[in-house]
Amino acid sequence: MNVDFDVFDADNHYYEATDAFTRHLPLHRSKLVQWANVGGRQRMIVDNKVFRFIPNPTFDPVARPGCLDDYFRGKRAGDDIREAFGDLEPINPAYREPEARVKLMDSQGMVGSFLFPTLGVGVEEALLHDPDALHDVFHAFNEWMLDDWTFNYGDRIYAAPYIALQEPKRAEQEVEYALANGAHVVVLRAGPVRGPGFSRTPGDPVYDGVWARLAEAGILAAYHSGDAGYNRYADEWGGGGDFQAFRNDPFRSVTSGHRPIYDTIAALVCHGVFRRHPNLRVATIESGSDWVPQLLKALKKSYGQLPAAYEQVDPVEQVRAQMWVSPYYEDDLPELRDELGAQRMIFGSDYPHAEGLADPKSFVDDLPGFSEEEVRLVMRENALALSQPRAL
């Protein structure tokens, strides 16, 4: 299928500069994030522990975009994941510089994109034991992002500052920082909000200040996949350990692949966030979509049994009104359309990651049976509308 219009990609990434977490760290936090030579390779050290989330944290050289496409479509075995990656290449300036990225986007036929971290979505878990330090690290990270990308580059690239929720007041301050500097989207991690001696739902009223401010400003709250801390459940079955990209054991991937985002959206609905903040817009990014029909079915049954628990507001309709999903290209996309509606689907290529698409527009090849109007909604109009704040 041909796409004769410029698209809006809801899942683009940068590769962090090596000083992304350290450039703005306060002096008294300088030892929290460091670099060291470990076994002849540069590795990031977070709180005196080797950070294993990404095996190649300097990103130079880096994997070719889309080199794992066949693996993620189940067409090629990944028992030797290094062989599946193939040869690495020098990092492209467009992965670290907005001006070069816009030129690349022009060549790709892309009108705009949401831009998310690569390393950044794995760091929160490593600092849960010290929420104050965690917030300091992520504020420094957001300051770096503002330096190198801005939060809105020419109304083309919308980089998402990271919002951690451990300390509600610090989270509210970070949202205000993001808004004051032009953010159109923020990124959070899925899962419960955890810290020393506590584990809370994001639907706890202590976070209403965060949700209310995002809803009032009309900007998008995006949940992007990363280290959600769910390895602890695999630990109970004798597996788990540190989260490492591309080194998932079968048990963990089969049992918990979709759980963090399923549980998180369930919490936002069941614990009243969508009811209390009906103007809040939430997107799920790089978290697949196979879980959506399961969640809607479970919510429908729950509402039929306990309507008063939802204050007589249909939870399925809450989801359909306030949630957008960027599915994996290998998912059952017609099923998602039938369950959620094409108007709530946003395409994401995961470019330039190895597990994404080498040509972002080729996502359209996985939309057979979609009408021209539906294709345009998925490939452009839905995310383009989400990129603009919606005034109350």
Side-chain angles (χ1 to χ4, degrees):
M1 186 184 301
N2 292 324
V3 178
D4 59 359
F5 53 85
D6 287 346
V7 300
F8 192 106
D9 195 332
D11 185 22
N12 265 207
H13 288 268
Y14 48 72
Y15 285 124
E16 287 90 338
T18 54
D19 66 346
F21 285 94
T22 60
R23 185 186 303 173
H24 291 287
L25 261 186
L27 184 60
H28 71 287
R29 299 294 193 192
S30 60
K31 293 184 178 181
L32 268 178
V33 181
Q34 304 176 79
W35 287 86
N37 186 299
V38 179
R41 300 179 63 187
Q42 284 294 105
R43 302 302 297 263
M44 197 163 84
I45 310 298
V46 179
D47 198 27
N48 296 312
K49 183 178 179 181
V50 176
F51 183 63
R52 301 185 184 278
F53 178 69
I54 295 290
N56 174 30
T58 65
F59 304 115
D60 193 10
V62 72
R64 293 173 290 108
C67 64
L68 295 181
D69 190 343
D70 284 348
Y71 166 69
F72 278 93
R73 292 183 188 273
K75 296 179 179 179
R76 174 178 180 174
D79 294 324
D80 186 345
I81 197 67
R82 291 187 180 182
E83 181 182 350
F85 270 103
D87 294 333
L88 303 182
E89 61 184 18
I91 193 166
N92 187 326
Y95 304 163
R96 281 184 165 158
E97 301 171 11
E99 184 176 355
R101 187 57 164 262
V102 166
K103 291 179 181 178
L104 176 60
M105 290 167 60
D106 288 341
S107 72
Q108 294 172 325
M110 191 180 301
V111 67
S113 67
F114 294 135
L115 196 66
F116 294 104
T118 298
L119 275 178
V121 294
V123 173
E124 186 172 336
E125 182 71 13
L127 294 168
L128 293 182
H129 61 283
D130 189 342
D132 195 50
L134 186 156
H135 283 281
D136 284 347
V137 166
F138 276 105
H139 182 67
F141 180 69
N142 289 338
E143 289 185 288
W144 161 80
M145 196 188 310
L146 188 62
D147 282 351
D148 281 23
W149 288 96
T150 79
F151 298 153
N152 174 6
Y153 188 82
D155 289 325
R156 297 287 302 279
I157 302 173
Y158 301 98
Y162 192 104
I163 306 299
L165 296 177
Q166 275 69 20
E167 295 287 350
K169 290 303 179 185
R170 291 290 301 271
E172 291 174 29
Q173 290 169 8
E174 204 63 36
V175 169
E176 292 297 344
Y177 174 82
L179 295 174
N181 287 285
H184 286 218
V185 56
V186 298
V187 63
L188 307 95
R189 82 163 187 167
V193 184
R194 295 161 48 231
F198 70 86
S199 184
R200 306 186 193 111
T201 169
D204 191 304
V206 299
Y207 300 117
D208 274 354
V210 171
W211 303 125
R213 192 66 183 96
L214 292 173
E216 178 187 27
I219 73 168
L220 182 65
Y223 278 98
H224 192 287
S225 65
D227 184 356
Y230 271 52
N231 274 16
R232 65 190 186 278
Y233 298 120
D235 287 342
E236 295 178 356
W237 292 87
D242 289 343
F243 184 101
Q244 299 181 54
F246 313 114
R247 293 191 178 182
N248 295 343
D249 67 81
F251 178 81
R252 191 183 72 187
S253 62
V254 167
T255 59
S256 66
H258 70 278
R259 290 303 318 186
I261 194 63
Y262 178 104
D263 295 349
T264 299
I265 300 302
L268 295 181
V269 178
C270 296
H271 298 154
V273 173
F274 284 165
R275 293 197 304 277
R276 298 194 299 273
H277 309 284
N279 290 298
L280 179 67
R281 297 185 294 177
V282 172
T284 68
I285 309 294
E286 201 179 329
S287 300
S289 62
D290 289 349
W291 53 274
V292 175
Q294 301 171 41
L295 177 63
L296 296 185
K297 182 178 179 180
L299 289 174
K300 180 180 180 180
K301 180 178 180 179
S302 177
Y303 183 55
Q305 295 171 326
L306 299 166
Y310 297 93
E311 299 175 352
Q312 311 297 328
V313 181
D314 187 339
V316 173
E317 294 310 311
Q318 292 175 51
V319 170
R320 289 177 174 154
Q322 294 180 247
M323 187 182 77
W324 285 256
V325 174
S326 178
Y328 295 141
Y329 54 75
E330 69 269 24
D331 286 346
D332 187 338
L333 303 187
E335 179 185 44
L336 178 62
R337 175 199 57 194
D338 295 344
E339 290 284 348
L340 199 61
Q343 72 277 12
R344 290 296 181 265
M345 296 174 63
I346 50 178
F347 111 88
S349 71
D350 198 30
Y351 188 89
H353 285 174
E355 65 271 31
L357 295 171
D359 173 14
K361 269 190 173 181
S362 69
F363 188 95
V364 75
D365 296 335
D366 291 292
L367 297 174
F370 281 61
S371 69
E372 290 186 8
E373 179 184 1
E374 289 172 335
V375 167
R376 191 176 181 94
L377 286 173
V378 175
M379 297 294 293
R380 175 185 169 99
E381 302 303 337
N382 292 337
L384 184 61
L386 286 174
S387 73
Q388 299 307 306
R390 182 176 65 183
L392 291 180

